[in-house]
Amino acid sequence: MADKRQQRRIKRRLMVRYGERELTQSGFTGDVSTSGLFIISSSLPRLDTRLHIQLFVEPERCVFFEGEVRRHKLVPAELRTVERGGFGVRLLSPREVLSSALDQELRVPHFELNYRTRAAFQQAYEREFRMGAAFVSTTQQLPRDARAVLSLVLEFSGQVVELEAQVVQVFPPQEGSEAVVGLALLFTDRARAESLLRPWLGQG
């Protein structure tokens, strides 16, 4: 049967580091091509797992990829001295990586708070922003720890400050109740939020 692979694979032993979030695992390749790698390993990531990959083409030169685990090769224990098991990875193109990243970003909910006057912004800062938090009045329900982006529209200065945040408390609507409804957010990077907001507290 003819080999269905479109790219020629070359037997090459190259050092590789990989992991889902951090490059915590290391090993060697069994073969490589321009579209994929076979990584020798007794620990097999789940199929379809996306990995960050650092491939050392020379001891002092490396390239970085993202890839998806597409196949497993299991070798019986009695044959492992002559044949090595591991997993095959399909390398993702820059277009795929960027499209996925942008798609994830588009799925992150955005909220907006408007401040027409500096005094209104100063009050909000003293009430919650200086503690690295904000409350957004909304009926949109998100789980705790969900990511969000908060845009603070400072109309008095013509500026918009965007801050990444995380949901820490949810106040859902209650039937027959006039209780507050919305989300309590905590800024992901409090120091950055402080540096972006403080300049707009002064007079002028």
Side-chain angles (χ1 to χ4, degrees):
M1 179 179 294
D3 191 345
K4 294 182 179 180
R5 293 173 184 159
Q6 296 180 348
Q7 302 295 332
R8 175 169 168 261
R9 288 182 179 263
I10 304 171
K11 294 290 185 181
R12 187 68 60 84
R13 180 180 171 88
L14 299 173
M15 191 173 77
V16 62
R17 298 177 63 202
Y18 61 92
E20 291 187 52
R21 294 182 179 273
E22 304 291 336
L23 300 172
T24 55
Q25 305 293 318
S26 61
F28 293 90
T29 61
D31 59 55
V32 300
S33 78
T34 56
S35 63
L37 309 171
F38 181 79
I39 298 176
I40 298 170
S41 176
S42 58
S43 176
L44 305 180
R46 299 183 309 276
L47 292 176
D48 299 325
T49 297
R50 179 170 287 195
L51 298 176
H52 298 288
I53 299 168
Q54 181 182 21
L55 180 67
F56 289 83
V57 293
E58 294 177 2
E60 302 298 327
R61 186 162 68 94
C62 64
V63 288
F64 293 87
F65 302 97
E66 285 197 28
E68 289 181 342
V69 178
R70 304 308 298 164
R71 66 185 180 93
H72 291 160
K73 180 180 179 182
L74 302 174
V75 176
E78 62 271 18
L79 298 178
R80 290 175 187 167
T81 56
V82 294
E83 190 170 2
R84 304 296 297 273
F87 57 96
V89 176
R90 181 180 74 86
L91 300 179
L92 301 177
S93 69
R95 180 188 297 273
E96 289 177 287
V97 174
L98 185 58
S99 294
S100 175
L102 293 176
D103 184 54
Q104 289 182 357
E105 195 64 30
L106 290 173
R107 289 200 297 267
V108 175
H110 284 63
F111 300 100
E112 186 176 287
L113 296 175
N114 290 268
Y115 298 95
R116 297 186 62 185
T117 66
R118 191 184 303 274
F121 170 68
Q122 290 172 330
Q123 291 176 3
Y125 179 88
E126 291 298 326
R127 185 174 61 249
E128 49 192 359
F129 298 158
R130 69 184 181 88
M131 295 181 286
F135 177 80
V136 176
S137 179
T138 177
T139 56
Q140 183 174 351
Q141 298 297 293
L142 297 176
R144 282 178 59 97
D145 299 327
R147 290 176 57 210
V149 173
L150 178 62
S151 294
L152 303 181
V153 181
L154 311 182
E155 294 185 21
F156 60 88
S157 66
Q159 302 294 318
V160 177
V161 178
E162 278 200 351
L163 301 171
E164 294 185 359
Q166 185 177 28
V167 177
V168 292
Q169 193 167 357
V170 181
F171 300 90
Q174 304 291 332
E175 187 175 353
S177 172
E178 295 184 1
V180 64
V181 175
L183 302 169
L185 305 177
L186 192 66
F187 300 146
T188 303
D189 188 337
R190 185 172 176 178
R192 177 176 180 274
E194 183 79 5
S195 67
L196 291 175
L197 297 179
R198 283 195 66 84
W200 307 109
L201 293 172
Q203 301 297 321

